[in-house]
Amino acid sequence: MNPLTKALDGVGACVLLFFQTVRYLPTLPRQWKSLLDQCLFMGYATLPLVVILSFFIGGVLALQFAYATVDIGLKEFIGTIVGLSMVLELAPVMTAVMVSGRIGSAVTAELASMKVYSEVDALRTMNISPERFLVLPRVVALMLVMPMLTIFSMVTGWVGGQVVSQMVDWIDLAPTAYYQSLTSAMTLSDIGKGLLKGQLFAIGIILISCVTGLRASGGPREIGAAVTKAVVVCIIYILVSDYFITHALF
Amino acid sequence: MPTKTNRSVEAVSIKIENLHKSYGDTKVLHGVSFDVEPGQIFSLMGPSGSGKSVMLRQLIALEKPDEGSVLIDGLDAQDPKTRDAIRTALVFQSGALMNSMTVYDNLALYHREHRSLSERDIKAKIQSVTEALSIEAALKKIPAELSGGMRKRVAVARAIIMEPRLILYDEPTSELDPILAATTSELIATVCKETGATSLVVTHDRQLALGISNRVGLLLSGHLEFIGTPDEMRSSDDERVQEFLNPKLDLENPRFRKKENAL
C-alpha cells in the first residue's frame, strides 16, 4: 500500500470502528465498572500534567505579550490575549497533545498487547465483541473526561497568566485589571467553541489509538511500534484538524 | 476413547471441503477436506508450520479461507449467525486468558457478558469445574502468576464453562512435561465423554492424538496426507506417516544437512 492508500485505509478503519462502537451504546450501563475505571485512569492520571503545563503556558503567553507591548502601553490587554488564546486554541490543543501522549499511548499499548497475545481473538471466539467490551468504555470515558480536562486547562492557563502579570516587576498588572480585561472580551460561545474543539480532538485520538492497537500483530516489538505510530498519527491529526476546525468555527 | 455416555450438549458435525489459504505469496493450505462426526475427537497432526493452527482459525471464523467451505452442523462457519447458534470454544496454545482479570473473572466472563447465568449459578459452575480440574487455588490469582500447566487447565476450564457444542484445542500439550501432557490428554477425553461436545485437537503430540482420538489426520505442508483411525495410522505403510510417527535419529546424515544439500 502506498502512503495515501494507507492513510485512507486508516481513516476508513476509524470511521468503521466509530459506527461499530456507537451501535453498542445501549449496552453501556452493563459496563459501568469498566467505564468508571477508564474515567479514573484517564481523568485523574492526566489532570496534574494538564494543570502544570497549562499554568506555564498561560504564564509564558503573558510574558511574551507583555514583552511586545509594554512599551506602547497595551499591557491591560494581557488578560484578553491570554484568556482568548487559552480558550480558543491552547487549552484544547495542548490538552489533546497530552491526552495523546498519556492516554492514547496507554490505550494502544493495552489493546496491542491483548491483540498480540490472542486475548482479542479469545473474546471473538466467545462471541464477545471487542468493540463493545474494549472500545466502547474507552471512547465514552474520554468523551466524558475531555471537557473537564479542557476546562481545567483553560482556568489554570488564565491563573498562570495572571500570576506572571502580577509578579513580574516590569509588567506589574493588578489581578482586577487582568481579569476585567479577560472577561470583557470573552463570551460563553468562545468557551463552547474551545470545548467542541477538544471533543473533536478526543474522538479522533481515541479512535486512532484503538484502531492502531487492534491492528497490531507480531510480537512485543510491534506493540512498541504501534504505540509510537498511534502518538505520531494523533499529533498530526490534532494539528491538521485544528486548522480546519478553527476555519469552520470562525 | 470417549464413549457416548452422559451427554449434556448436542454435539455437532464438521465438514471441511477443499480449503485453501494463502498469506501473500505463501500458500499454507492446499485444498484440505475432511469430516468430523458429532461427539467424536478428531486430532489433526502435523509438524510445526504445516498449517494446523491456520486451519483452526478458518474453523472458528477468525480468518476467511481463500477458497472452500467449513460447515458446522451444516451451517457456514463464516456466517455470524452460526456463532450465535452453535457455541464453540477454542483453547488457545498460549491460553489467551485476560491478563488484567483474575482467574475467577476469566472463567465468569462468558456467562456474565451473555447474561446466560445468574451470578450465583456462575459461582456454582466455576466451583464444580475448578474442583474437577484441581485449580481452585488459582481462582484469586491473575494469569501471569500461574505456571504453564495451570494456565492450560484454566484455559480448558474457561472453554468447558461455556458449555460448547464444539471445542477446538490448539496444541494443548505443547510446553508441558510428559506427566502434565498425559493429564491434559486425559482431561480432553474426559471433557468430550462427559459433555458430549465434538472435539478437534490440533497437535504434534503422537501420544495424545493416537491415545484419545476416534480419528486422526496428518497435515504435511498444507496437504492432508492421511486420515483414518489411530490403528490405521499406526499400521500405515506410507513412508511420510511412519517418518512423522517414528522419526529415526541419523547422526551421520542429519535431516538439516539433507535439506541444505537439496537447496
Side-chain angles (χ1 to χ4, degrees):
Chain A
M1 272 200 275
N2 64 41
L4 180 67
T5 324
K6 263 188 189 174
L8 290 174
D9 178 54
V11 172
C14 287
V15 172
L16 194 66
L17 184 66
F18 176 74
F19 286 111
Q20 283 172 335
T21 307
V22 164
R23 202 159 56 101
Y24 291 112
L25 260 179
T27 67
L28 187 65
R30 283 168 56 186
Q31 298 200 70
W32 67 270
K33 272 188 190 167
S34 174
L35 179 65
L36 197 67
D37 281 348
Q38 290 298 328
C39 284
L40 273 175
F41 160 68
M42 291 179 179
Y44 188 69
T46 318
L47 189 62
L49 276 176
V50 168
V51 167
I52 294 167
L53 198 78
S54 302
F55 182 88
F56 284 99
I57 287 174
V60 169
L61 206 58
L63 266 182
Q64 298 274 23
F65 183 73
Y67 176 72
T69 60
V70 76
D71 291 340
I72 51 173
L74 290 177
K75 70 175 184 181
E76 285 75 18
F77 290 99
I78 293 175
T80 307
I81 295 297
V82 172
L84 283 177
S85 304
M86 286 308 298
V87 164
L88 294 172
E89 184 65 23
L90 291 170
V93 170
M94 293 316 292
T95 305
V97 169
M98 274 178 284
V99 163
S100 303
R102 177 71 181 78
I103 299 170
S105 59
V107 167
T108 305
E110 191 179 2
L111 296 188
S113 151
M114 292 183 81
K115 178 77 192 330
V116 165
Y117 295 111
S118 302
E119 291 178 40
V120 174
D121 285 343
L123 285 175
R124 288 195 201 281
T125 61
M126 286 192 276
N127 216 2
I128 298 170
S129 160
E131 290 79 20
R132 177 176 68 75
F133 189 71
L134 300 173
V135 179
L136 181 66
R138 287 166 173 82
V139 169
V140 175
L142 191 58
M143 289 293 100
L144 294 175
V145 160
M146 189 67 180
M148 287 184 257
L149 291 176
T150 312
I151 287 173
F152 269 101
S153 173
M154 289 173 183
V155 173
T156 46
W158 298 341
V159 173
Q162 181 263 306
V163 169
V164 168
S165 307
Q166 186 186 358
M167 305 299 280
V168 174
D169 291 344
W170 53 271
I171 305 176
D172 192 26
L173 183 68
T176 11
Y178 175 88
Y179 285 115
Q180 202 170 17
S181 153
L182 189 148
T183 50
S184 65
M186 199 182 306
T187 62
L188 270 180
S189 153
D190 293 328
I191 296 177
K193 283 174 185 170
L195 292 177
L196 177 64
K197 219 182 214 186
Q199 288 304 86
L200 294 173
F201 291 151
I203 188 76
I205 292 166
I206 198 70
L207 290 173
I208 291 166
S209 306
C210 289
V211 164
T212 314
L214 290 173
R215 284 180 151 198
S217 60
R221 195 175 160 188
E222 278 71 19
I223 299 173
V227 172
T228 310
K229 184 181 167 190
V231 174
V232 170
V233 174
C234 282
I235 291 173
I236 292 171
Y237 161 77
I238 292 164
L239 298 178
V240 172
S241 65
D242 184 33
Y243 171 79
F244 292 102
I245 297 168
T246 308
H247 195 74
L249 287 176
F250 298 103
Chain B
M1 268 178 244
T3 53
K4 294 183 178 181
T5 54
N6 197 18
R7 298 279 150 134
S8 63
V9 293
E10 197 185 332
V12 293
S13 62
I14 304 173
K15 190 173 179 64
I16 292 170
E17 271 184 310
N18 194 30
L19 209 64
H20 290 262
K21 181 71 187 174
S22 302
Y23 297 96
D25 296 334
T26 313
K27 191 147 193 178
V28 182
L29 296 176
H30 302 258
V32 176
S33 304
F34 64 88
D35 296 336
V36 182
E37 296 290 318
Q40 287 200 341
I41 298 180
F42 181 91
S43 291
L44 189 61
M45 299 171 76
S48 303
S50 59
K52 305 185 300 293
S53 297
V54 171
M55 180 90 214
L56 272 192
R57 296 180 71 81
Q58 320 300 309
L59 232 155
I60 201 153
L62 286 173
E63 288 176 4
K64 271 189 181 172
D66 299 336
E67 205 185 316
S69 64
V70 177
L71 299 177
I72 301 174
D73 232 17
L75 302 170
D76 183 1
Q78 293 293 328
D79 186 346
K81 287 177 191 161
T82 308
R83 279 193 203 175
D84 297 331
I86 298 167
R87 224 177 259 185
T88 306
L90 170 59
V91 179
F92 286 80
Q93 187 173 356
S94 60
L97 301 169
M98 302 292 139
N99 280 312
S100 56
M101 296 180 182
T102 63
V103 168
Y104 184 92
D105 289 334
N106 264 284
L107 298 181
L109 183 64
Y110 179 84
H111 289 294
R112 275 182 186 160
E113 287 301 314
H114 290 278
R115 297 179 152 187
S116 42
L117 289 177
S118 69
E119 203 58 42
R120 184 194 287 182
D121 290 342
I122 292 173
K123 191 175 178 183
K125 200 163 199 45
I126 290 176
Q127 200 173 349
S128 74
V129 171
T130 51
E131 271 175 20
L133 299 181
S134 310
I135 50 170
E136 314 97 297
L139 283 176
K140 287 181 183 169
K141 292 182 178 171
I142 56 167
E145 295 172 326
L146 305 178
S147 65
M150 191 73 111
R151 210 174 297 148
K152 281 253 154 82
R153 273 184 284 167
V154 173
V156 174
R158 185 173 68 178
I160 299 170
I161 283 172
M162 284 172 64
E163 296 176 345
R165 293 169 68 189
L166 170 63
I167 308 184
L168 312 171
Y169 298 88
D170 189 4
E171 303 282 7
T173 56
S174 65
E175 301 160 32
L176 298 182
D177 63 66
I179 302 291
L180 213 46
T183 310
T184 307
S185 306
E186 290 163 357
L187 179 64
I188 293 168
T190 310
V191 167
C192 180
K193 186 178 167 186
E194 293 187 355
T195 67
T198 307
S199 303
L200 196 148
V201 186
V202 153
T203 183
H204 48 230
D205 182 338
R206 288 164 297 164
Q207 199 184 358
L208 158 69
L210 300 178
I212 66 165
S213 309
N214 299 94
R215 289 170 79 223
V216 286
L218 179 63
L219 195 66
L220 295 174
S221 307
H223 296 273
L224 192 64
E225 298 291 353
F226 174 88
I227 188 160
T229 63
D231 286 339
E232 285 168 348
M233 187 177 227
R234 280 190 204 98
S235 57
S236 169
D237 51 11
D238 188 321
E239 265 182 34
R240 287 163 304 178
V241 174
Q242 289 308 321
E243 162 78 1
F244 181 77
L245 291 181
N246 307 298
K248 289 191 177 68
L249 296 182
D250 185 356
L251 299 179
E252 299 301 319
N253 191 15
R255 285 178 186 78
F256 64 89
R257 288 261 189 263
K258 284 180 198 167
K259 280 181 188 166
E260 275 172 14
N261 293 337
L263 285 173

